[in-house]
Amino acid sequence: MTQNYMLHSKGHVPSPPGRHNMISQSQPWKIVARTAFGLLSLLLLLWQICSAHTRINRFVGRESEDVDFTDWKWSDIRPSRRLQWQRCYNNTYDCARLDLPMDWLEPSDDPHERVILAVIRLRATELDDYKGPIFFNPGGPGGSGIYALIDRGGLLQSIAGKNHDIISFDPRGIGASIPRVDCWGSEEKSRLWALQDVGVVDAHPGVVFDAFARATALSQTCERNMNSSGLLSHISTASHARDLLEILYQTGQDKLRYWGFSYGTILGGVFAAMYPDRVERLVSDGNVDYREWHFQSYINFLRDTDKVMEAFYYFCHKAGPSGCAFYSSSPAAIKERLEKLLNRIRQHPIIVQAAKTGPDMPQLITWSHLKRLISAALYRPIFMFKNFANVLSALENGDGQPFYQLVKSEKSITPICSVEALPPNVPRLEEGNADAFPAILCADSPPVEDTVEEFTKFVEELIHISSAAGDVNALFRMACVGRTVRPRWRYTGPFEGNTSHPILYVANIADNVAPLISARNNSQGFPGSIVLVQNSYGHTSLSAASVCTARYIRAYFQNGTLPKPGTICEPDYQPFEDMYPKGGNELSIASYELARLNWGFEPRLTL
């Protein structure tokens, strides 16, 4: 099949290198707004105080990694244009820093026009039938492949087979890959900006105007602060796919074995469309619609969101009053109970008083907080629904402590005044980069030129599709408001190709941000591909352990076997059930542990 690419200004794209010619050597409100003056004064004072105490580290070669088990640093590795592995993280992994062109269309030797990618490998331990490496992307965009592999690479290897290496990397602009996308220049400024959050766009009349202006201000600030690096012009998924191809060649492989989740399905799909003959195995889990992503329509992605919300009502009722704290006589009665709570809290936010167990000062739980909690719960029903029901019941009684404790149980955030500022040219280990999300999203899609009135109509359409979380998810389009920097290389399709081996798509029966129809749409462009459906709810199959799904994935990686069309796998657990490993076999334990992990797909809850 003829390969099609988006042409750049000179009418060509960089061709894949041969095995022996890898690189040329020349070569993402109103209440706050009403108190803006007082708040901004407080923020300014806080920033000034913090600035006096912030530890600024501006020496290249130093970095701040809070890795408990090692003193090893990414800056210990000298970047190279050839992949040179070094043992790292207590000799558990291999690490490398690969020097690549920032602009694949016109490679340059200028150090300011290069990117340094951090790459990590977990070696295969069963070498008698060695299958080569599986490349893995955890999603985002903005998720760190380095962090994810350290956190869960061994579990993925247990499913795919220990005769595979597992390789991942921090995509350009993220974590230990430099230069890094950094809109603020310091973490404290980023945190202080977040404190000015105006709430969900339809929280109160007029908030959408504040949110729209705020999005514009953030876009302008980010582009201004990132201008000197030039990275924003070279951060579309096309560039990431070409980076992936280069790493593949540098490992001595001709064909790709790949496992991608969430945004990782976009990266995998673009790679498969650009280089179909290089795809030997590709598992695409939690599928984002290729065309929606690249053409900024963002309508279809919420098709299943309210189905997941309906699952909460159904399984809460099924669990009974002893199993679900928000139980009522029917699923419909539970839904009505939640609607009444939302209406009440909109007018009468819950006050969480200061207490020894926290918070240190009174906190408000507003309608926006509750809406965001609802949206977050839909990502991981098995792990979130029971606690979510407890929080709702407490809020109904005017008690915000369970909500506060749930937020507090999230991974702790370093106090603002003790954050160490690292310049974007110093590598660091991070779970993800929130600034990279809009940078990559907006580079992949057409410019958003909405007026605030047009954006308001778009929000109304999203709410019509999903009353549960349509308003919260308006952030996907809003993230690109005010962005003007365009990518030099942007892939626009076609999203199809005759891959060397058919693709395996994996999708839940209802996914809150990546509906089943998206997997089916994506599959249509790749002959022989199969959609394996998992009869569970939430984002990606990771939201519910399933030995059945794990077996199919292992068989696919081991011998290329695909499920029969129409295959449906049952999950090992349902919402409101207690989770524990069922059986002692490797697949069961690995599936259970992967499902327990928080992959960071949902936005972090805050107060």
Side-chain angles (χ1 to χ4, degrees):
M1 182 174 181
T2 301
Q3 296 186 27
N4 294 272
Y5 303 89
M6 176 62 182
L7 301 181
H8 78 118
S9 57
K10 294 192 177 181
H12 70 276
V13 298
S15 57
R19 284 283 300 276
H20 302 290
N21 184 26
M22 299 176 186
I23 309 178
S24 169
Q25 288 300 317
S26 63
Q27 16 193 139
W29 37 321
K30 202 95 173 180
I31 296 176
V32 175
R34 291 172 178 168
T35 59
F37 180 80
L39 178 58
L40 288 173
S41 299
L42 174 61
L43 295 178
L44 179 60
L45 176 61
L46 180 57
W47 178 72
Q48 291 171 335
I49 294 172
C50 289
S51 296
H53 295 280
T54 301
R55 296 166 288 155
I56 306 294
N57 182 346
R58 299 193 180 279
F59 297 97
V60 175
R62 298 279 308 282
E63 65 181 355
S64 176
E65 285 184 4
D66 295 324
V67 182
D68 294 337
F69 55 83
T70 181
D71 292 329
W72 179 86
K73 305 294 184 184
W74 275 99
S75 51
D76 293 342
I77 298 180
R78 185 182 184 88
S80 171
R81 297 192 184 189
R82 293 291 182 268
L83 197 63
Q84 298 179 354
W85 296 112
Q86 297 183 23
R87 295 300 282 171
C88 57
Y89 294 110
N90 279 355
N91 289 322
T92 307
Y93 305 94
D94 299 317
C95 292
R97 298 180 70 198
L98 187 60
D99 183 341
L100 298 178
M102 183 178 290
D103 186 350
W104 277 109
L105 305 178
E106 294 185 7
S108 170
D109 283 334
D110 186 335
H112 298 290
E113 296 179 14
R114 312 284 297 183
V115 295
I116 310 297
L117 298 189
V119 190
I120 189 168
R121 176 176 67 183
L122 176 64
R123 293 181 187 177
T125 58
E126 297 176 0
L127 303 179
D128 290 343
D129 185 26
Y130 177 66
K131 297 287 188 181
I134 293 173
F135 289 78
F136 147 64
N137 181 278
S144 164
I146 304 298
Y147 181 97
L149 191 141
I150 294 171
D151 188 52
R152 64 208 72 141
L155 298 173
L156 295 173
Q157 189 182 57
S158 293
I159 290 177
K162 294 182 179 179
N163 53 354
H164 288 97
D165 301 324
I166 306 294
I167 294 179
S168 195
F169 64 101
D170 277 354
R172 53 174 63 197
I174 297 165
S177 292
I178 57 173
R180 195 167 49 252
V181 179
D182 185 348
C183 293
W184 292 100
S186 77
E187 184 68 15
E188 65 185 21
K189 288 183 181 179
S190 177
R191 299 271 192 89
L192 293 173
W193 173 257
L195 289 175
Q196 300 177 56
D197 172 49
V198 295
V200 178
V201 291
D202 61 335
H204 301 285
V207 167
V208 66
F209 301 108
D210 298 342
F212 192 88
R214 178 177 165 82
T216 303
L218 177 56
S219 294
Q220 293 171 344
T221 298
C222 193
E223 291 188 343
R224 182 173 61 250
N225 291 341
M226 287 292 298
N227 181 60
S228 61
S229 75
L231 182 63
L232 294 184
S233 296
H234 305 283
I235 203 166
S236 75
T237 299
S239 293
H240 296 301
R242 183 60 184 82
D243 293 343
L244 176 57
L245 180 67
E246 191 62 39
I247 301 171
L248 175 71
Y249 284 134
Q250 293 268 357
T251 60
Q253 304 295 317
D254 286 318
K255 295 184 183 296
L256 177 72
R257 292 183 173 223
Y258 177 85
W259 195 352
F261 301 88
S262 196
Y263 165 77
T265 68
I266 292 292
L267 176 56
V270 169
F271 185 98
M274 291 173 63
Y275 314 113
D277 59 321
R278 302 297 181 185
V279 175
E280 184 176 48
R281 302 281 191 276
L282 197 156
V283 175
S284 187
D285 190 338
N287 291 271
V288 181
D289 191 294
Y290 302 147
R291 294 160 188 84
E292 278 210 345
W293 180 266
H294 285 90
F295 297 107
Q296 192 59 276
S297 51
Y298 290 117
I299 295 298
N300 192 57
F301 82 113
L302 293 180
R303 290 294 175 191
D304 286 351
T305 309
D306 283 4
K307 293 179 183 178
V308 185
M309 190 74 245
E310 293 291 335
F312 170 75
Y313 306 137
Y314 171 80
F315 285 107
C316 177
H317 179 260
K318 184 179 179 181
S322 62
C324 177
F326 208 63
Y327 171 85
S328 285
S329 58
S330 67
I334 298 172
K335 180 178 182 179
E336 182 180 0
R337 188 175 171 184
L338 178 55
E339 289 172 348
K340 288 180 179 179
L341 175 60
L342 280 164
N343 289 334
R344 193 171 81 223
I345 206 170
R346 194 174 215 153
Q347 296 182 348
H348 305 286
I350 305 296
I351 300 172
V352 184
Q353 296 290 356
K356 290 183 179 180
T357 57
D360 295 329
M361 57 188 297
Q363 299 282 349
L364 287 183
I365 299 174
T366 67
W367 183 88
S368 290
H369 287 120
L370 182 50
K371 285 291 289 188
R372 287 170 175 161
L373 174 60
I374 291 171
S375 180
L378 301 182
Y379 281 83
R380 304 177 72 212
I382 287 179
F383 281 90
M384 288 286 289
F385 275 5
K386 197 165 190 175
N387 285 338
F388 176 53
N390 293 335
V391 168
L392 293 180
S393 178
L395 290 175
E396 204 175 39
N397 294 319
D399 180 9
Q401 264 293 331
F403 185 104
Y404 171 79
Q405 295 299 332
L406 178 64
V407 173
K408 183 181 175 182
S409 69
E410 296 284 304
K411 291 185 177 179
S412 60
I413 300 176
T414 306
I416 293 177
C417 290
S418 62
V419 172
E420 183 174 14
L422 278 176
N425 63 341
V426 177
R428 72 180 182 193
L429 181 67
E430 61 184 5
E431 184 175 2
N433 184 332
D435 290 343
F437 180 96
I440 298 169
L441 167 67
C442 306
D444 279 348
S445 55
V448 175
E449 298 173 337
D450 295 2
T451 64
V452 67
E453 291 79 14
E454 291 170 333
F455 178 73
T456 300
K457 291 180 180 179
F458 172 77
V459 173
E460 291 171 351
E461 190 171 359
L462 289 185
I463 296 172
H464 176 72
I465 295 170
S466 172
S467 60
D471 41 15
V472 176
N473 283 287
L475 61 88
F476 285 96
R477 187 175 184 87
M478 189 165 60
C480 297
V481 170
R483 295 258 171 176
T484 60
V485 175
R486 300 304 301 151
R488 290 203 65 232
W489 188 17
R490 172 178 167 248
Y491 186 77
T492 60
F495 297 97
E496 57 188 36
N498 189 15
T499 53
S500 295
H501 192 83
I503 295 172
L504 175 58
Y505 291 92
V506 182
N508 284 341
I509 196 71
D511 186 311
N512 55 306
V513 289
L516 177 56
I517 189 63
S518 293
R520 300 200 191 283
N521 288 343
N522 292 347
S523 174
Q524 288 179 357
F526 294 92
S529 63
I530 292 292
V531 178
L532 172 63
V533 178
Q534 183 169 292
N535 191 23
S536 59
Y537 302 86
H539 188 40
T540 80
S541 70
L542 298 167
S543 61
S546 171
V547 171
C548 171
T549 299
R551 284 178 180 146
Y552 279 115
I553 291 174
R554 173 176 278 187
Y556 176 75
F557 277 124
Q558 289 296 319
N559 51 45
T561 304
L562 286 159
K564 293 180 180 180
T567 299
I568 298 177
C569 276
E570 293 298 324
D572 298 340
Y573 314 90
Q574 295 289 357
F576 293 96
E577 291 182 355
D578 293 331
M579 278 193 65
Y580 53 89
K582 294 182 178 179
N585 66 77
E586 185 177 45
L587 286 181
S588 176
I589 294 173
S591 298
Y592 167 80
E593 292 295 342
L594 280 171
R596 289 179 64 241
L597 291 171
N598 185 349
W599 284 63
F601 296 135
E602 71 274 17
R604 187 186 296 274
L605 296 171
T606 59
L607 267 178

